């Protein structure tokens, strides 16, 4: 199993600024992911965070907007850059371990 | 590529009545199937999963689901719901890359 924590749990940011979200897993995992859940919507995969190489982004998401780091097998960060109100969402980190995908509690971001 | 269709956006149900939430998927490869629950203002919790083996899967809180490969379905059932089952339910499909595609979600409202 895996227990995932995220920081911050929530934040209110001004447009044009950037926020870095941290994700910590309590065990070493190969596969880590970042998802976005817009208000009242389902989850959409942003990217796969690869250890030792660049993240792999899904269609509609780009590195300049959502840079991701994965320095080791237990930690990843997602930065939301040059924020606009449309970026207001819950951002979730997840990890695949033992045949199951575990999710962090999410970071609730509000952009004003 | 995988995709998921949850056929019911909202399901109102009386307490102690049975409930079924329908989920159909499309995929060109072998799949892993999941049901997650999200209580108001909380994170995602895994209800159950199908990776292989028996097509009838039992999960937490009295939920079960049946994988039907010919009909590409993975419907979730509970024989008797409680008020506390009021939540958003997400069906998700994953493949060998461990990325998950989520359905739009089904809102279950249990009334006394």
């Amino acid at each position: 199993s895996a227990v995932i924590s995220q920081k911050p749990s929530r934040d209110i940011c001004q447009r044009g600024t950037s926020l870095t979200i941290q994700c910590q897993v309590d065990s070493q995992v190969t596969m880590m992911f970042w998802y976005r859940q817009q208000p009242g919507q389902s989850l959409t995969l942003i990217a796969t965070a690869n250890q030792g190489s660049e993240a792999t982004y899904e269609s509609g998401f780009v590195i300049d907007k959502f840079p991701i780091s994965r320095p080791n097998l237990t930690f990843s960060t997602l930065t939301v850059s040059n924020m606009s109100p449309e970026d207001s969402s819950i951002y979730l980190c997840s990890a695949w371990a033992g045949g199951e995908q575990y999710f962090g509690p999410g970071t609730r971001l509000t952009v004003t | 590529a995988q995709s998921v269709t949850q056929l019911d956006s909202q399901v109102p149900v009386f307490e102690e009545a049975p409930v079924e939430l329908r989920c159909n998927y499309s995929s060109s490869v072998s799949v892993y199937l999941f049901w997650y629950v999200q209580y108001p203002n909380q994170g995602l919790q895994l209800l159950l999963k199908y990776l292989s083996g028996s097509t009838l899967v039992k999960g937490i809180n009295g939920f079960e689901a049946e994988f039907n490969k010919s009909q590409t379905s993975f419907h979730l059932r509970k024989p008797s719901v409680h008020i506390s089952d009021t939540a958003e339910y997400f069906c998700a499909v994953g493949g060998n890359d461990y990325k998950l595609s989520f359905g739009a979600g089904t809102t279950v409202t249990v009334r006394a």
Side-chain angles (χ1 to χ4, degrees):
Chain A
S1 67
V3 177
I4 301 177
S5 58
Q6 288 184 231
K7 288 186 202 178
S9 59
R10 59 178 63 227
D11 208 341
I12 301 173
C13 301
Q14 293 195 350
R15 68 171 67 210
T17 62
S18 298
L19 176 71
T20 296
I21 302 168
Q22 298 179 7
C23 175
Q24 180 73 54
V25 187
D26 70 341
S27 58
Q28 292 187 339
V29 293
T30 304
M31 310 296 293
M32 290 184 72
F33 306 90
W34 287 96
Y35 290 82
R36 180 175 74 179
Q37 186 177 24
Q38 294 178 299
Q41 303 294 317
S42 185
L43 283 79
T44 302
L45 179 64
I46 297 172
T48 303
N50 302 310
Q51 196 266 331
S53 64
E54 281 196 359
T56 306
Y57 291 84
E58 298 299 306
S59 176
F61 297 96
V62 295
I63 187 171
D64 289 348
K65 177 68 176 177
F66 298 102
I68 288 170
S69 78
R70 178 86 192 273
N72 57 52
L73 292 175
T74 65
F75 187 78
S76 178
T77 67
L78 168 75
T79 299
V80 186
S81 303
N82 188 24
M83 288 184 283
S84 66
E86 292 71 34
D87 294 320
S88 296
S89 295
I90 299 173
Y91 293 86
L92 297 104
C93 169
S94 76
W96 184 273
E100 183 173 327
Q101 188 150 144
Y102 295 85
F103 284 84
T107 295
R108 186 180 294 270
L109 172 62
T110 302
V111 183
T112 61
Chain B
Q2 298 116 212
S3 67
V4 177
T5 302
Q6 291 184 240
L7 298 166
D8 310 289
S9 60
Q10 298 196 29
V11 174
V13 58
F14 286 106
E15 193 173 20
E16 298 183 5
V19 70
E20 178 180 75
L21 309 184
R22 296 178 293 167
C23 172
N24 286 99
Y25 70 91
S26 66
S27 175
S28 57
V29 297
S30 299
V31 297
Y32 310 123
L33 291 157
F34 305 84
W35 276 99
Y36 287 88
V37 61
Q38 187 175 39
Y39 298 104
N41 297 313
Q42 294 189 28
L44 283 174
Q45 181 179 4
L46 181 69
L47 276 176
L48 47 77
K49 62 185 177 184
Y50 172 79
L51 302 180
S52 65
S54 173
T55 57
L56 182 62
V57 180
K58 293 190 183 297
I60 62 171
N61 300 340
F63 284 94
E64 66 178 32
E66 185 155 18
F67 170 58
N68 188 318
K69 188 174 182 178
S70 63
Q71 297 189 6
T72 62
S73 68
F74 191 55
H75 300 335
L76 180 71
R77 302 182 183 94
K78 184 170 182 178
S80 175
V81 296
H82 303 290
I83 297 289
S84 58
D85 292 320
T86 294
E88 189 81 11
Y89 292 80
F90 294 99
C91 181
V93 61
N96 292 332
D97 58 6
Y98 304 108
K99 302 178 190 179
L100 293 188
S101 295
F102 282 82
T106 298
T107 303
V108 173
T109 304
V110 182
R111 301 167 179 166

